[in-house]
Amino acid sequence: MDKLTLEARNVSIEFPGVKALTDVSFQVSTGEIRAVVGANGAGKSTLMKILSGVNPDYKGQIYLNGNPIELRTAMAAKRHGIQIVYQEVDTALVPTLSVAENVLLSNMVMDVRNPIVRWNRLRREARAILERLHINVNVRRLVQNLTLAQKQMVLIAKAIASKCSFLILDEPTAPLSDTETAELFRLVKHLQATENIAIIFISHRINEVTQICERYTVMRNGEIVDTSPITPNTTTREIVEKMLGRTFEEIFTKDKVTIGEKVFEVSHLSGADGKVNDVSFYVRKGEIVGIAGLVGAGKSELCKTIFGAYRRTAGTLTLNGKPIRIDNPTHAVKHRIALVPEERRKEGVLVNENVTFNLSAACLGKFCTASFINRGKTDANARNYVQNLGIATPSIRQVVKNLSGGNQQKVVVGKWLAADCDLYIFDEPTKGVDVGAKQDIFRLINDITKQGNSAIYASCENAELLSITDRIYVLYDGRVMAELITANTNEDEIMHYAVGSNTMYA
């Protein structure tokens, strides 16, 4: 099979107040698995959106096999064989259509000469594509009934059905379990070996980059600073230091905080349509309590049930020794309980509003004068948190959707810091953020507890739990399997209980 080469030469793009890319030159050929890495805001997603036709206002030139092409629309990119699979897979699929319809949707829409859908042929063609990729999914199933990993597979099959030569995977493993990640890697290797496709792999999980990719390109501050092969001697630390432009200490050391009396207790809590089952735990003043578990263990459901976003069917909540009732998020906020959700773009921020609005959204009453919002107060609040949290934004008027993932997460945290809560619930707070931003988030949480507040930290990243927490509860199938003292445990013990073992770890 002939190799195809996609090349960007001296590509630049600016957004209001931000020069996102500066004279970027990038080249990739089919048959290659290439990582593109960088800190949040480095320009990775911006470059990929240009290549996939989503950012049309770029300067510079794109070439395919040495011939200049214009990528000003997503349709133009698809015609040239370039497609992207975003982390938020639901945005690119039609949930009420079948797998077969989603896989061949682009073909159906483009084939205007054949307005009659031949359903048997459609399913047969979709099944052939899935079998070619060794994807075992029933083509008649509605996409809304698939797991997240299966939806991702359907999107990749959809790209292959459209004769894709360059496939961009944007943070593909962020929501996946270890088993699902292994299956994705199998598919990526299969595509490389049999389909003459270039895979561009964007990830903050550097250990995965060294596992699956052959070369990596590092971006920093809107520029490409390095492209190197991945060898047996390539280390995570080496790549991270190129990303950050400085030396880096991977292990976060939690400051010692005096742990006080019990402030919050959950007793025999059940809910979230059966995904939380008889859960009991407590949190003390100044303490960070971890909630561990694999993907699907019920961590997010537990957090949202406590916060009132999911229905509680049994159990009690106690705050400062007094029973409280939380039937909705408004009740939680009145009790000074905050939730930083896993899906920050869907649930944590108002992406089409600016930084100032978002940082005051959880406590607008503080900034009102005679029932009117005082612009001076909200601006002062925004400047304070932009400075103290290190939010990288050209202006407090910047729309949040234009910030990097790590800075969006800081806005979510800052919103609740402004509300001055007693208990903060963090659900996968470092999902999709780079290692530098992770350290910033750890410091924020550490500072919260140093001020006498408490935190619940839910994560499937066991190394993070061991770095930031004081105690850990391990969930499996919505139930607590073990309570562990962080200083006395390790990743193996956490995993022992996370897979459902009810025997003592030896």
Side-chain angles (χ1 to χ4, degrees), residues 229-240:
I230 293 175
T231 71
N233 297 322
T234 302
T235 65
T236 298
R237 188 184 189 91
E238 168 192 332
I239 298 175
V240 168

Side-chain angles (χ1 to χ4, degrees), residues 19-38:
K19 189 160 189 179
L21 295 179
T22 305
D23 288 327
V24 167
S25 294
F26 174 79
Q27 181 176 307
V28 64
S29 298
T30 53
E32 177 183 2
I33 304 176
R34 171 78 68 84
V36 178
V37 299

Side-chain angles (χ1 to χ4, degrees), residues 291-304:
I291 305 295
L294 301 175
V295 173
K299 300 184 301 298
S300 293
E301 289 82 1
L302 173 60
C303 293
K304 290 180 178 179

Side-chain angles (χ1 to χ4, degrees), residues 169-439:
L169 301 179
D170 184 12
E171 292 286 350
T173 65
L176 302 184
S177 67
D178 291 343
T179 302
E180 291 167 336
T181 296
E183 177 61 15
L184 174 67
F185 285 179
R186 179 207 62 76
L187 178 57
V188 167
K189 287 289 189 182
H190 180 79
L191 290 172
Q192 180 195 30
T194 64
E195 299 290 337
N196 193 33
I197 287 179
I199 308 289
I200 303 174
F201 188 86
I202 303 174
S203 179
H204 288 119
R205 296 179 172 179
I206 307 303
N207 61 314
E208 294 178 352
V209 166
T210 57
Q211 179 183 345
I212 191 70
C213 301
E214 299 160 328
R215 290 202 293 166
Y216 67 94
T217 294
V218 182
M219 298 191 70
R220 188 169 69 240
N221 299 328
E223 300 177 352
I224 289 179
V225 297
D226 181 71
T227 295
S228 297
I230 293 175
T231 71
N233 297 322
T234 302
T235 65
T236 298
R237 188 184 189 91
E238 168 192 332
I239 298 175
V240 168
E241 290 184 352
K242 288 179 182 178
M243 287 167 49
L244 300 180
R246 57 179 170 81
T247 58
F248 175 73
E249 182 58 52
E250 294 184 55
I251 303 300
F252 177 80
T253 303
K254 183 178 181 294
D255 293 340
K256 287 190 177 297
V257 176
T258 301
I259 304 298
E261 70 280 2
K262 190 185 297 184
V263 295
F264 182 71
E265 186 169 11
V266 174
S267 298
H268 304 290
L269 184 68
S270 295
D273 294 327
K275 294 179 180 178
V276 177
N277 298 293
D278 196 28
V279 170
S280 297
F281 70 92
Y282 65 91
V283 186
R284 294 173 294 187
K285 185 175 183 180
E287 188 176 34
I288 303 175
V289 169
I291 305 295
L294 301 175
V295 173
K299 300 184 301 298
S300 293
E301 289 82 1
L302 173 60
C303 293
K304 290 180 178 179
T305 302
I306 293 171
F307 195 65
Y310 285 170
R311 190 170 70 91
R312 172 172 54 90
T313 56
T316 60
L317 306 176
T318 304
L319 183 66
N320 293 319
K322 298 179 180 179
I324 60 171
R325 186 179 181 88
I326 297 178
D327 293 325
N328 54 58
T330 301
H331 291 169
V333 174
K334 287 180 178 178
H335 287 296
R336 298 164 65 89
I337 297 174
L339 171 65
V340 176
E342 178 181 10
E343 299 296 335
R344 58 176 170 265
R345 290 181 66 88
K346 288 183 182 178
E347 302 169 343
V349 289
L350 299 167
V351 293
N352 293 313
E353 299 292 344
N354 63 31
V355 172
T356 296
F357 185 89
N358 274 278
L359 285 171
S360 57
C363 53
L364 279 175
K366 289 173 57 175
F367 308 109
C368 290
T369 302
S371 299
F372 292 95
I373 296 175
N374 187 312
R375 176 67 66 85
K377 288 182 178 180
T378 57
D379 285 356
N381 173 72
R383 292 190 188 96
N384 175 54
Y385 284 106
V386 164
Q387 179 178 352
N388 292 340
L389 303 182
I391 300 172
T393 177
S395 164
I396 60 174
R397 301 277 181 258
Q398 178 68 278
V399 175
V400 166
K401 70 179 179 182
N402 293 331
L403 300 182
S404 68
N407 287 300
Q408 288 179 12
Q409 191 72 313
K410 290 180 183 179
V411 170
V412 179
V413 176
K415 173 184 75 174
W416 289 113
L417 290 178
D420 190 25
C421 295
D422 294 328
L423 176 67
Y424 292 83
I425 305 171
F426 296 91
D427 183 14
E428 299 285 359
T430 63
K431 177 181 173 182
V433 303
D434 68 77
V435 288
K438 281 185 183 182
Q439 296 278 352

